[in-house]
Amino acid sequence: MSAFETSPMASENERLILDIVRRHEPIARAAITGHTNLAQQSVHRLIEALISRGLLRAAAPLKGTRGQPSPTIELVKESACSVGISINTDSAILSLADFGCNIIAQEALEMVPSDRLATLAALSRALQSLLERHGIARERLAGLGFAMSGFFVLDNHVFNAPEPLRDWSLIDLRPELEEIFQLPVWLENNATTGAIGESLRGVGRRCQTFAYLSFNYGFGGGLVLEGRPYLGFHGNAGEFSVIYNPDESPRRPALQYLITSLRENGIPIASIGDLRQNFDPSWPGVQDWLDETKPMLDRLIATLIGVLDPQAIVFGGQLPAELGRMMISRTSMPSRRRHRYGVAPAEAQLLLSEVKGDAAATGAALLPFKFRYFL
């Protein structure tokens, strides 16, 4: 039996130990206690239990350590894998991750996912091909994380997705996904999984509290507080577009409006993926879009800094990197205002996403691990 069959869920303290090892690997066994508020004896028992379940193992001591060096502890990365699916308005992306939260493979299907059943069938075939290519048995799969553009309605994780994804909207997707893939399923919107991917594989490795801005066909985001994703009561924390009234909505920084502006200026952009791959800052229409969206973005940045006080605000989603740099350089930060005695409060850094590949698909693949085995 796999480690995940013998240990289907980690306790809170076990998750603490696993997360410490994940963040600080390689780490000496003796150093783990210092990252907890637990007694050394308790930490030792937890480590031994996790080793017996096949989730941790002892490794060689750190080099250059004086005296009798303590062995290091590491995750058994090959103990299990998880699957992630991210559905955008113009793409379907499949990811495969190991227990060390490393992405083994990420593959985009060459199809527009407007037909739900056809897309899921194609994803199922693609997953089987990926598993065979990497020599991974299905028994090693711990679960599937599913992400999609949109927000949750009806209090049971039913998506209200953008118009191009109408076929995916207002239905309970979980039973269908579990039937097709024969795996336990976790669902989140793609902005939240983008934030989770960032917390495990990007900015979150040094920032425990940050806001994630997800620039896609629409515009939303996610929140990570003290290293944990904050989902909100209805699962919709990070739906930043709700701060704009209906008249302002077309001026929010959603990439659908940039594509419209570019097409009106004779630039034949076919999709968000096309925009991301071929973006040119000199295109006519880019500066106009930046000027129009700047007040909306400035208001959101100031709101996040005033309400959340994060370490960082990350520009991510499907945003072209050069466009992200342009937006960051133009943002008016609250610290630039006049303050009493000429002293401004410290405020968040504005950073580009540091996740390689598609952050939402990466985060989706890590959902089963994040919610069962790590903090």
PDB file of all heavy atoms in Angstrom, residues 76-109:
ATOM      1  N   VAL A  76       9.886  12.346   1.179  1.00  0.00           N
ATOM      2  CA  VAL A  76      10.007  11.252   0.202  1.00  0.00           C
ATOM      3  C   VAL A  76       9.223  11.695  -1.029  1.00  0.00           C
ATOM      4  O   VAL A  76       8.031  11.443  -1.167  1.00  0.00           O
ATOM      5  CB  VAL A  76       9.469   9.930   0.778  1.00  0.00           C
ATOM      6  CG1 VAL A  76       9.651   8.800  -0.236  1.00  0.00           C
ATOM      7  CG2 VAL A  76      10.169   9.586   2.078  1.00  0.00           C
ATOM      8  N   LYS A  77       9.909  12.380  -1.907  1.00  0.00           N
ATOM      9  CA  LYS A  77       9.232  13.042  -3.024  1.00  0.00           C
ATOM     10  C   LYS A  77       8.528  12.067  -3.961  1.00  0.00           C
ATOM     11  O   LYS A  77       7.517  12.393  -4.579  1.00  0.00           O
ATOM     12  CB  LYS A  77      10.234  13.909  -3.792  1.00  0.00           C
ATOM     13  CG  LYS A  77      10.830  15.022  -2.945  1.00  0.00           C
ATOM     14  CD  LYS A  77      11.893  15.797  -3.693  1.00  0.00           C
ATOM     15  CE  LYS A  77      12.445  16.932  -2.836  1.00  0.00           C
ATOM     16  NZ  LYS A  77      13.095  16.446  -1.601  1.00  0.00           N
ATOM     17  N   GLU A  78       9.067  10.858  -4.065  1.00  0.00           N
ATOM     18  CA  GLU A  78       8.481   9.883  -4.983  1.00  0.00           C
ATOM     19  C   GLU A  78       7.347   9.085  -4.347  1.00  0.00           C
ATOM     20  O   GLU A  78       6.761   8.217  -4.986  1.00  0.00           O
ATOM     21  CB  GLU A  78       9.568   8.930  -5.494  1.00  0.00           C
ATOM     22  CG  GLU A  78      10.157   8.009  -4.440  1.00  0.00           C
ATOM     23  CD  GLU A  78      11.289   8.632  -3.636  1.00  0.00           C
ATOM     24  OE1 GLU A  78      11.457   9.871  -3.704  1.00  0.00           O
ATOM     25  OE2 GLU A  78      11.997   7.878  -2.944  1.00  0.00           O
ATOM     26  N   SER A  79       7.004   9.401  -3.094  1.00  0.00           N
ATOM     27  CA  SER A  79       5.972   8.614  -2.409  1.00  0.00           C
ATOM     28  C   SER A  79       4.608   8.768  -3.058  1.00  0.00           C
ATOM     29  O   SER A  79       3.784   7.863  -3.010  1.00  0.00           O
ATOM     30  CB  SER A  79       5.893   9.006  -0.933  1.00  0.00           C
ATOM     31  OG  SER A  79       5.548  10.376  -0.794  1.00  0.00           O
ATOM     32  N   ALA A  80       4.331   9.904  -3.646  1.00  0.00           N
ATOM     33  CA  ALA A  80       3.032  10.119  -4.292  1.00  0.00           C
ATOM     34  C   ALA A  80       3.120  11.280  -5.262  1.00  0.00           C
ATOM     35  O   ALA A  80       4.057  12.078  -5.227  1.00  0.00           O
ATOM     36  CB  ALA A  80       1.948  10.386  -3.254  1.00  0.00           C
ATOM     37  N   CYS A  81       2.140  11.369  -6.126  1.00  0.00           N
ATOM     38  CA  CYS A  81       2.002  12.477  -7.066  1.00  0.00           C
ATOM     39  C   CYS A  81       0.578  13.002  -7.001  1.00  0.00           C
ATOM     40  O   CYS A  81      -0.319  12.331  -6.478  1.00  0.00           O
ATOM     41  CB  CYS A  81       2.303  12.026  -8.506  1.00  0.00           C
ATOM     42  SG  CYS A  81       3.994  11.447  -8.748  1.00  0.00           S
ATOM     43  N   SER A  82       0.369  14.178  -7.510  1.00  0.00           N
ATOM     44  CA  SER A  82      -0.984  14.712  -7.613  1.00  0.00           C
ATOM     45  C   SER A  82      -1.159  15.386  -8.967  1.00  0.00           C
ATOM     46  O   SER A  82      -0.184  15.772  -9.619  1.00  0.00           O
ATOM     47  CB  SER A  82      -1.294  15.692  -6.483  1.00  0.00           C
ATOM     48  OG  SER A  82      -0.441  16.811  -6.549  1.00  0.00           O
ATOM     49  N   VAL A  83      -2.409  15.527  -9.362  1.00  0.00           N
ATOM     50  CA  VAL A  83      -2.763  16.041 -10.684  1.00  0.00           C
ATOM     51  C   VAL A  83      -3.451  17.386 -10.528  1.00  0.00           C
ATOM     52  O   VAL A  83      -4.232  17.598  -9.598  1.00  0.00           O
ATOM     53  CB  VAL A  83      -3.721  15.061 -11.408  1.00  0.00           C
ATOM     54  CG1 VAL A  83      -4.049  15.558 -12.810  1.00  0.00           C
ATOM     55  CG2 VAL A  83      -3.119  13.669 -11.455  1.00  0.00           C
ATOM     56  N   GLY A  84      -3.157  18.297 -11.430  1.00  0.00           N
ATOM     57  CA  GLY A  84      -3.841  19.584 -11.455  1.00  0.00           C
ATOM     58  C   GLY A  84      -4.392  19.881 -12.832  1.00  0.00           C
ATOM     59  O   GLY A  84      -3.758  19.587 -13.847  1.00  0.00           O
ATOM     60  N   ILE A  85      -5.595  20.446 -12.870  1.00  0.00           N
ATOM     61  CA  ILE A  85      -6.215  20.883 -14.123  1.00  0.00           C
ATOM     62  C   ILE A  85      -6.619  22.338 -13.963  1.00  0.00           C
ATOM     63  O   ILE A  85      -7.240  22.708 -12.961  1.00  0.00           O
ATOM     64  CB  ILE A  85      -7.450  20.036 -14.467  1.00  0.00           C
ATOM     65  CG1 ILE A  85      -7.039  18.610 -14.848  1.00  0.00           C
ATOM     66  CG2 ILE A  85      -8.265  20.671 -15.595  1.00  0.00           C
ATOM     67  CD1 ILE A  85      -8.206  17.662 -15.033  1.00  0.00           C
ATOM     68  N   SER A  86      -6.256  23.160 -14.918  1.00  0.00           N
ATOM     69  CA  SER A  86      -6.670  24.561 -14.933  1.00  0.00           C
ATOM     70  C   SER A  86      -7.402  24.845 -16.238  1.00  0.00           C
ATOM     71  O   SER A  86      -6.867  24.618 -17.323  1.00  0.00           O
ATOM     72  CB  SER A  86      -5.456  25.487 -14.805  1.00  0.00           C
ATOM     73  OG  SER A  86      -5.849  26.841 -14.884  1.00  0.00           O
ATOM     74  N   ILE A  87      -8.642  25.329 -16.102  1.00  0.00           N
ATOM     75  CA  ILE A  87      -9.464  25.653 -17.270  1.00  0.00           C
ATOM     76  C   ILE A  87      -9.583  27.169 -17.380  1.00  0.00           C
ATOM     77  O   ILE A  87     -10.122  27.833 -16.487  1.00  0.00           O
ATOM     78  CB  ILE A  87     -10.874  25.025 -17.154  1.00  0.00           C
ATOM     79  CG1 ILE A  87     -10.775  23.512 -16.981  1.00  0.00           C
ATOM     80  CG2 ILE A  87     -11.711  25.389 -18.375  1.00  0.00           C
ATOM     81  CD1 ILE A  87     -10.192  22.774 -18.164  1.00  0.00           C
ATOM     82  N   ASN A  88      -9.037  27.716 -18.461  1.00  0.00           N
ATOM     83  CA  ASN A  88      -9.187  29.132 -18.780  1.00  0.00           C
ATOM     84  C   ASN A  88     -10.123  29.277 -19.979  1.00  0.00           C
ATOM     85  O   ASN A  88     -10.542  28.277 -20.572  1.00  0.00           O
ATOM     86  CB  ASN A  88      -7.821  29.746 -19.090  1.00  0.00           C
ATOM     87  CG  ASN A  88      -6.902  29.740 -17.882  1.00  0.00           C
ATOM     88  OD1 ASN A  88      -7.195  30.338 -16.850  1.00  0.00           O
ATOM     89  ND2 ASN A  88      -5.776  29.031 -18.002  1.00  0.00           N
ATOM     90  N   THR A  89     -10.429  30.487 -20.337  1.00  0.00           N
ATOM     91  CA  THR A  89     -11.371  30.695 -21.448  1.00  0.00           C
ATOM     92  C   THR A  89     -10.835  30.161 -22.770  1.00  0.00           C
ATOM     93  O   THR A  89     -11.621  29.814 -23.650  1.00  0.00           O
ATOM     94  CB  THR A  89     -11.688  32.187 -21.599  1.00  0.00           C
ATOM     95  OG1 THR A  89     -10.448  32.925 -21.750  1.00  0.00           O
ATOM     96  CG2 THR A  89     -12.441  32.719 -20.390  1.00  0.00           C
ATOM     97  N   ASP A  90      -9.518  30.074 -22.898  1.00  0.00           N
ATOM     98  CA  ASP A  90      -8.950  29.641 -24.186  1.00  0.00           C
ATOM     99  C   ASP A  90      -7.945  28.517 -24.042  1.00  0.00           C
ATOM    100  O   ASP A  90      -7.209  28.226 -24.971  1.00  0.00           O
ATOM    101  CB  ASP A  90      -8.289  30.835 -24.894  1.00  0.00           C
ATOM    102  CG  ASP A  90      -7.123  31.405 -24.089  1.00  0.00           C
ATOM    103  OD1 ASP A  90      -7.002  31.058 -22.903  1.00  0.00           O
ATOM    104  OD2 ASP A  90      -6.344  32.194 -24.652  1.00  0.00           O
ATOM    105  N   SER A  91      -7.891  27.879 -22.862  1.00  0.00           N
ATOM    106  CA  SER A  91      -6.887  26.829 -22.684  1.00  0.00           C
ATOM    107  C   SER A  91      -7.301  25.862 -21.585  1.00  0.00           C
ATOM    108  O   SER A  91      -8.072  26.207 -20.688  1.00  0.00           O
ATOM    109  CB  SER A  91      -5.516  27.444 -22.330  1.00  0.00           C
ATOM    110  OG  SER A  91      -5.570  28.105 -21.087  1.00  0.00           O
ATOM    111  N   ALA A  92      -6.781  24.645 -21.695  1.00  0.00           N
ATOM    112  CA  ALA A  92      -6.917  23.631 -20.650  1.00  0.00           C
ATOM    113  C   ALA A  92      -5.514  23.102 -20.383  1.00  0.00           C
ATOM    114  O   ALA A  92      -4.846  22.627 -21.306  1.00  0.00           O
ATOM    115  CB  ALA A  92      -7.847  22.510 -21.090  1.00  0.00           C
ATOM    116  N   ILE A  93      -5.058  23.205 -19.127  1.00  0.00           N
ATOM    117  CA  ILE A  93      -3.677  22.874 -18.796  1.00  0.00           C
ATOM    118  C   ILE A  93      -3.666  21.773 -17.740  1.00  0.00           C
ATOM    119  O   ILE A  93      -4.399  21.829 -16.753  1.00  0.00           O
ATOM    120  CB  ILE A  93      -2.922  24.114 -18.289  1.00  0.00           C
ATOM    121  CG1 ILE A  93      -2.955  25.212 -19.361  1.00  0.00           C
ATOM    122  CG2 ILE A  93      -1.478  23.770 -17.938  1.00  0.00           C
ATOM    123  CD1 ILE A  93      -2.413  26.547 -18.895  1.00  0.00           C
ATOM    124  N   LEU A  94      -2.826  20.783 -17.966  1.00  0.00           N
ATOM    125  CA  LEU A  94      -2.695  19.630 -17.074  1.00  0.00           C
ATOM    126  C   LEU A  94      -1.318  19.667 -16.426  1.00  0.00           C
ATOM    127  O   LEU A  94      -0.315  19.898 -17.104  1.00  0.00           O
ATOM    128  CB  LEU A  94      -2.853  18.348 -17.886  1.00  0.00           C
ATOM    129  CG  LEU A  94      -2.803  17.012 -17.146  1.00  0.00           C
ATOM    130  CD1 LEU A  94      -4.045  16.837 -16.280  1.00  0.00           C
ATOM    131  CD2 LEU A  94      -2.691  15.860 -18.150  1.00  0.00           C
ATOM    132  N   SER A  95      -1.273  19.466 -15.104  1.00  0.00           N
ATOM    133  CA  SER A  95      -0.002  19.448 -14.379  1.00  0.00           C
ATOM    134  C   SER A  95       0.106  18.179 -13.546  1.00  0.00           C
ATOM    135  O   SER A  95      -0.900  17.636 -13.092  1.00  0.00           O
ATOM    136  CB  SER A  95       0.114  20.655 -13.448  1.00  0.00           C
ATOM    137  OG  SER A  95       0.348  21.834 -14.169  1.00  0.00           O
ATOM    138  N   LEU A  96       1.345  17.763 -13.323  1.00  0.00           N
ATOM    139  CA  LEU A  96       1.642  16.602 -12.496  1.00  0.00           C
ATOM    140  C   LEU A  96       2.732  17.009 -11.526  1.00  0.00           C
ATOM    141  O   LEU A  96       3.772  17.556 -11.929  1.00  0.00           O
ATOM    142  CB  LEU A  96       2.113  15.450 -13.382  1.00  0.00           C
ATOM    143  CG  LEU A  96       2.114  14.032 -12.828  1.00  0.00           C
ATOM    144  CD1 LEU A  96       0.710  13.614 -12.396  1.00  0.00           C
ATOM    145  CD2 LEU A  96       2.665  13.070 -13.869  1.00  0.00           C
ATOM    146  N   ALA A  97       2.497  16.806 -10.211  1.00  0.00           N
ATOM    147  CA  ALA A  97       3.459  17.219  -9.184  1.00  0.00           C
ATOM    148  C   ALA A  97       3.842  16.042  -8.310  1.00  0.00           C
ATOM    149  O   ALA A  97       3.057  15.114  -8.116  1.00  0.00           O
ATOM    150  CB  ALA A  97       2.863  18.332  -8.323  1.00  0.00           C
ATOM    151  N   ASP A  98       5.063  16.098  -7.736  1.00  0.00           N
ATOM    152  CA  ASP A  98       5.458  15.076  -6.776  1.00  0.00           C
ATOM    153  C   ASP A  98       5.238  15.590  -5.358  1.00  0.00           C
ATOM    154  O   ASP A  98       4.844  16.740  -5.143  1.00  0.00           O
ATOM    155  CB  ASP A  98       6.909  14.624  -7.009  1.00  0.00           C
ATOM    156  CG  ASP A  98       7.948  15.706  -6.722  1.00  0.00           C
ATOM    157  OD1 ASP A  98       7.639  16.688  -6.000  1.00  0.00           O
ATOM    158  OD2 ASP A  98       9.094  15.566  -7.214  1.00  0.00           O
ATOM    159  N   PHE A  99       5.512  14.749  -4.349  1.00  0.00           N
ATOM    160  CA  PHE A  99       5.216  15.094  -2.967  1.00  0.00           C
ATOM    161  C   PHE A  99       6.106  16.224  -2.443  1.00  0.00           C
ATOM    162  O   PHE A  99       5.796  16.855  -1.441  1.00  0.00           O
ATOM    163  CB  PHE A  99       5.350  13.857  -2.071  1.00  0.00           C
ATOM    164  CG  PHE A  99       4.867  14.063  -0.664  1.00  0.00           C
ATOM    165  CD1 PHE A  99       3.598  14.563  -0.413  1.00  0.00           C
ATOM    166  CD2 PHE A  99       5.688  13.759   0.415  1.00  0.00           C
ATOM    167  CE1 PHE A  99       3.146  14.758   0.885  1.00  0.00           C
ATOM    168  CE2 PHE A  99       5.246  13.944   1.714  1.00  0.00           C
ATOM    169  CZ  PHE A  99       3.973  14.454   1.948  1.00  0.00           C
ATOM    170  N   GLY A 100       7.192  16.503  -3.148  1.00  0.00           N
ATOM    171  CA  GLY A 100       8.032  17.639  -2.803  1.00  0.00           C
ATOM    172  C   GLY A 100       7.525  18.951  -3.377  1.00  0.00           C
ATOM    173  O   GLY A 100       8.190  19.975  -3.264  1.00  0.00           O
ATOM    174  N   CYS A 101       6.332  18.913  -3.977  1.00  0.00           N
ATOM    175  CA  CYS A 101       5.704  20.084  -4.606  1.00  0.00           C
ATOM    176  C   CYS A 101       6.494  20.571  -5.813  1.00  0.00           C
ATOM    177  O   CYS A 101       6.465  21.759  -6.169  1.00  0.00           O
ATOM    178  CB  CYS A 101       5.509  21.225  -3.604  1.00  0.00           C
ATOM    179  SG  CYS A 101       4.404  20.804  -2.231  1.00  0.00           S
ATOM    180  N   ASN A 102       7.194  19.659  -6.455  1.00  0.00           N
ATOM    181  CA  ASN A 102       7.886  19.954  -7.706  1.00  0.00           C
ATOM    182  C   ASN A 102       6.994  19.550  -8.874  1.00  0.00           C
ATOM    183  O   ASN A 102       6.352  18.495  -8.828  1.00  0.00           O
ATOM    184  CB  ASN A 102       9.204  19.181  -7.798  1.00  0.00           C
ATOM    185  CG  ASN A 102      10.109  19.464  -6.623  1.00  0.00           C
ATOM    186  OD1 ASN A 102      10.486  20.603  -6.396  1.00  0.00           O
ATOM    187  ND2 ASN A 102      10.455  18.426  -5.873  1.00  0.00           N
ATOM    188  N   ILE A 103       6.940  20.372  -9.900  1.00  0.00           N
ATOM    189  CA  ILE A 103       6.152  20.041 -11.081  1.00  0.00           C
ATOM    190  C   ILE A 103       6.959  19.098 -11.969  1.00  0.00           C
ATOM    191  O   ILE A 103       8.033  19.443 -12.459  1.00  0.00           O
ATOM    192  CB  ILE A 103       5.753  21.314 -11.851  1.00  0.00           C
ATOM    193  CG1 ILE A 103       4.868  22.195 -10.977  1.00  0.00           C
ATOM    194  CG2 ILE A 103       5.018  20.953 -13.138  1.00  0.00           C
ATOM    195  CD1 ILE A 103       3.587  21.537 -10.482  1.00  0.00           C
ATOM    196  N   ILE A 104       6.423  17.904 -12.151  1.00  0.00           N
ATOM    197  CA  ILE A 104       7.063  16.901 -12.993  1.00  0.00           C
ATOM    198  C   ILE A 104       6.824  17.220 -14.464  1.00  0.00           C
ATOM    199  O   ILE A 104       7.721  17.114 -15.302  1.00  0.00           O
ATOM    200  CB  ILE A 104       6.513  15.496 -12.671  1.00  0.00           C
ATOM    201  CG1 ILE A 104       6.804  15.139 -11.215  1.00  0.00           C
ATOM    202  CG2 ILE A 104       7.090  14.449 -13.618  1.00  0.00           C
ATOM    203  CD1 ILE A 104       6.083  13.893 -10.739  1.00  0.00           C
ATOM    204  N   ALA A 105       5.599  17.614 -14.775  1.00  0.00           N
ATOM    205  CA  ALA A 105       5.246  17.919 -16.166  1.00  0.00           C
ATOM    206  C   ALA A 105       4.046  18.857 -16.169  1.00  0.00           C
ATOM    207  O   ALA A 105       3.212  18.842 -15.262  1.00  0.00           O
ATOM    208  CB  ALA A 105       4.917  16.644 -16.934  1.00  0.00           C
ATOM    209  N   GLN A 106       3.973  19.680 -17.207  1.00  0.00           N
ATOM    210  CA  GLN A 106       2.833  20.573 -17.412  1.00  0.00           C
ATOM    211  C   GLN A 106       2.557  20.643 -18.912  1.00  0.00           C
ATOM    212  O   GLN A 106       3.471  20.880 -19.689  1.00  0.00           O
ATOM    213  CB  GLN A 106       3.126  21.965 -16.847  1.00  0.00           C
ATOM    214  CG  GLN A 106       1.899  22.854 -16.741  1.00  0.00           C
ATOM    215  CD  GLN A 106       2.183  24.105 -15.916  1.00  0.00           C
ATOM    216  OE1 GLN A 106       2.539  25.141 -16.466  1.00  0.00           O
ATOM    217  NE2 GLN A 106       2.019  24.006 -14.599  1.00  0.00           N
ATOM    218  N   GLU A 107       1.319  20.404 -19.278  1.00  0.00           N
ATOM    219  CA  GLU A 107       0.979  20.259 -20.690  1.00  0.00           C
ATOM    220  C   GLU A 107      -0.315  20.993 -21.004  1.00  0.00           C
ATOM    221  O   GLU A 107      -1.321  20.819 -20.310  1.00  0.00           O
ATOM    222  CB  GLU A 107       0.838  18.770 -21.019  1.00  0.00           C
ATOM    223  CG  GLU A 107       0.621  18.452 -22.468  1.00  0.00           C
ATOM    224  CD  GLU A 107       0.661  16.948 -22.704  1.00  0.00           C
ATOM    225  OE1 GLU A 107       1.727  16.334 -22.478  1.00  0.00           O
ATOM    226  OE2 GLU A 107      -0.381  16.400 -23.104  1.00  0.00           O
ATOM    227  N   ALA A 108      -0.288  21.819 -22.032  1.00  0.00           N
ATOM    228  CA  ALA A 108      -1.485  22.545 -22.476  1.00  0.00           C
ATOM    229  C   ALA A 108      -2.109  21.801 -23.653  1.00  0.00           C
ATOM    230  O   ALA A 108      -1.407  21.428 -24.607  1.00  0.00           O
ATOM    231  CB  ALA A 108      -1.133  23.970 -22.879  1.00  0.00           C
ATOM    232  N   LEU A 109      -3.415  21.588 -23.585  1.00  0.00           N
ATOM    233  CA  LEU A 109      -4.109  20.934 -24.685  1.00  0.00           C
ATOM    234  C   LEU A 109      -4.307  21.926 -25.830  1.00  0.00           C
ATOM    235  O   LEU A 109      -4.575  23.111 -25.596  1.00  0.00           O
ATOM    236  CB  LEU A 109      -5.480  20.421 -24.235  1.00  0.00           C
ATOM    237  CG  LEU A 109      -5.527  18.998 -23.659  1.00  0.00           C
ATOM    238  CD1 LEU A 109      -4.657  18.893 -22.434  1.00  0.00           C
ATOM    239  CD2 LEU A 109      -6.952  18.603 -23.343  1.00  0.00           C
TER     240      LEU A 109
END
